[in-house]
Amino acid sequence: MSNVYVTRRIPQPGLEILEAACDRVEVNPEDRYLTREELLRAVRGRDGVLCLLTDVIDDEVLAAAGPQCRVFANYAVGFNNIDVAAATRRGIMITNTPGVLTDSTADLAWALIMSVARRVVEGDACVRSGKWDGWGPMQFLGQDVYEKTLGIVGAGRIGTATALRSVGFRMKVLYTSSRPNPELDAIGGRRVDLLALLRESDFVSIHVALNEQTRHLIGRKQLALMKPTAYLINTARGPVVDEKALVEALRERRIAGAGLDVYEEEPRITPGLTDLPNVVCLPHLGSATEATRAKMATMAATNLVAAVRGERPPNLVNPEVLEG
Ligand code: DGY
C-alpha cells in the first residue's frame, strides 16, 4: 500500500505518474504553500512526499512523516530547503530535478541581462503610463551588452548554459569553478578567482548552489569590487547575496543595476529594493515554462515512485542512505 503526498499542485504529467503507480495520492487542494502546522500534519504516515523549494523539510518534518517514509522528492534542482544530513540519518532518500531546467533558467538569466542593461521594464512602464511623448535622443539610455565581459559565478550546468549563450554577443567570458570547464574554455572563457571576476566583469551572473560556503558570497566587500557600470544578475538562490548590502550599493549607484529572480527571504523583499529604478525583479521564474515545469513534474514523480518501490531513484541526492 503506497501512500504519497504532494505539497502543492504540480503539472498533470507528474500527477499521472503518481496516480498510476501509487495506491493513494493526496494533493494539497489549495494553490498555496502549506503552513508549518499543515505540512507537519500532511506528511504524517506517508511513504513518499513530493515537496517544493518553498517547503522547509527539516528533522521535525522528517520525523513527523514517520519511520515508514522512504523519500522526499523535491520539485527543484536546488535542495537547500531540505536537511539532507537529517534525512540520511533517518534513512530517507532525497531526490531533485537536475538538467531539465538548465536551459530555461539560462534563458531567464539573459532576459534579466537584457532587461537591466537596456532598461526594458522602465521603458514598458513609461509607455503604459501614457507619459511617453515620442522618441528622444536622451531617453532611457542604457548600456550595450555585446562585446562586454560576462562573469559567471559558478560554472555548473546553468552557469555554463548562460555563458554559452553569450557567443552571439561576442562577449568575453570569465568564470569561477573548482575545476576547468572545457566547454567554456572552448569559447575563450577564462577561469579566474572571484575577486578578479568581480573587478573585470560588466555582468556578474550568479549560478552557485546555496550552502554554508555560498551564503552571502556577494556582500558589501564584493559589491565594492564591482565596476560602477556593472550589473549583478541572480537566478540562483537569494541568500547568496546580502540583499541589504545590495540595496545600499544600488541606491548609491556603486553598481549600475541588478536583475533578480530570487530573494533572501522569498516572498518577502528587502525594503528599498523595489523602489529602485535600476533593478528588475522577477518572482522566481527561472524554470517557469510549461515544458520545463512538466518535465520537472515527471522527473520528481519518477524519483518518488522508484524510491517508494524500494528501487534507486534516478536523481538521488544522498546515495549514502542506500549504503547502510
Ligand atoms: C530550482 O529548481 O532550484 C529552481 O529554482 C526552480 O525554479
Side-chain angles (χ1 to χ4, degrees):
M1 222 5 217
S2 52
N3 171 1
V4 307
Y5 188 78
V6 181
T7 63
R8 188 166 179 176
R9 190 175 174 77
I10 57 165
Q12 199 56 26
L15 295 178
E16 283 166 13
I17 290 171
L18 296 179
E19 272 150 18
C22 304
D23 300 301
R24 180 164 177 230
V25 180
E26 200 184 330
V27 183
N28 168 12
E30 293 180 59
D31 189 20
R32 62 166 176 83
Y33 46 81
L34 299 169
T35 64
R36 178 81 183 162
E37 282 63 39
E38 288 170 333
L39 179 64
L40 286 167
R41 231 178 301 125
V43 300
R44 196 171 303 150
R46 310 291 179 174
D47 300 304
V49 176
L50 196 149
C51 57
L52 312 181
L53 59 87
T54 45
D55 300 317
V56 176
I57 309 297
D58 56 13
D59 194 48
E60 191 186 12
V61 175
L62 297 162
Q68 79 302 325
C69 184
R70 286 180 181 268
V71 62
F72 274 69
N74 215 31
Y75 181 71
V77 63
F79 47 85
N80 54 288
N81 57 309
I82 302 180
D83 185 340
V84 178
T88 306
R89 276 197 305 275
R90 290 186 179 275
I92 296 177
M93 290 183 252
I94 301 300
T95 65
N96 68 339
T97 63
V100 290
L101 48 81
T102 300
D103 285 308
S104 304
T105 308
D107 285 349
L108 196 87
W110 272 91
L112 287 170
I113 291 171
M114 298 306 290
S115 303
V116 283
R118 300 303 306 272
R119 306 181 63 178
V120 169
V121 176
E122 285 176 86
D124 177 83
C126 171
V127 173
R128 284 171 197 271
S129 71
K131 288 189 189 138
W132 187 46
D133 56 2
W135 188 89
M138 302 303 285
Q139 268 174 17
F140 294 112
L141 303 186
Q143 299 297 327
D144 285 321
V145 174
Y146 70 91
E147 293 177 358
K148 294 286 177 65
T149 298
L150 173 63
I152 299 286
V153 181
R157 277 183 296 258
I158 299 172
T160 301
T162 302
L164 291 177
R165 281 160 170 70
S166 72
V167 173
F169 292 89
R170 302 187 299 277
M171 292 174 92
K172 182 170 151 194
V173 172
L174 304 177
Y175 69 93
T176 65
S177 171
S178 53
R179 63 186 92 86
N181 181 318
E183 277 185 280
L184 296 192
D185 296 347
I187 60 161
R190 194 155 55 87
R191 186 162 73 108
V192 293
D193 63 24
L194 182 61
L195 297 192
L197 184 143
L198 293 168
R199 282 198 189 106
E200 293 175 39
S201 298
D202 298 300
F203 297 90
V204 173
S205 191
I206 299 173
H207 301 283
V208 289
L210 174 63
N211 53 43
E212 280 325 302
Q213 285 75 52
T214 60
R215 188 174 295 277
H216 283 193
L217 181 69
I218 307 295
R220 189 165 290 122
K221 252 174 45 199
Q222 291 72 22
L223 290 164
L225 294 173
M226 288 174 64
K227 298 181 194 179
T229 50
Y231 297 88
L232 184 74
I233 308 295
N234 191 3
T235 52
R237 284 291 182 266
V240 174
V241 177
D242 176 346
E243 230 166 61
K244 277 207 192 98
L246 177 63
V247 171
E248 275 172 31
L250 289 166
R251 196 178 276 147
E252 293 163 16
R253 294 272 171 177
R254 280 189 271 115
I255 63 171
L260 305 174
D261 188 39
V262 289
Y263 306 89
E264 259 198 274
E265 289 176 41
E266 294 178 17
R268 188 188 153 272
I269 308 290
T270 294
L273 195 60
T274 50
D275 303 334
L276 298 166
N278 50 343
V279 193
V280 173
C281 295
L282 298 180
H284 203 147
L285 295 180
S287 62
T289 71
E290 287 181 17
T292 294
R293 288 281 167 88
K295 285 185 214 157
M296 288 166 66
T298 302
M299 204 170 195
T302 303
N303 282 326
L304 185 145
V305 167
V308 164
R309 285 186 176 147
E311 297 160 10
R312 184 190 175 103
N315 309 105
L316 183 59
V317 164
N318 56 344
E320 317 81 78
V321 86
L322 298 179
E323 283 156 21

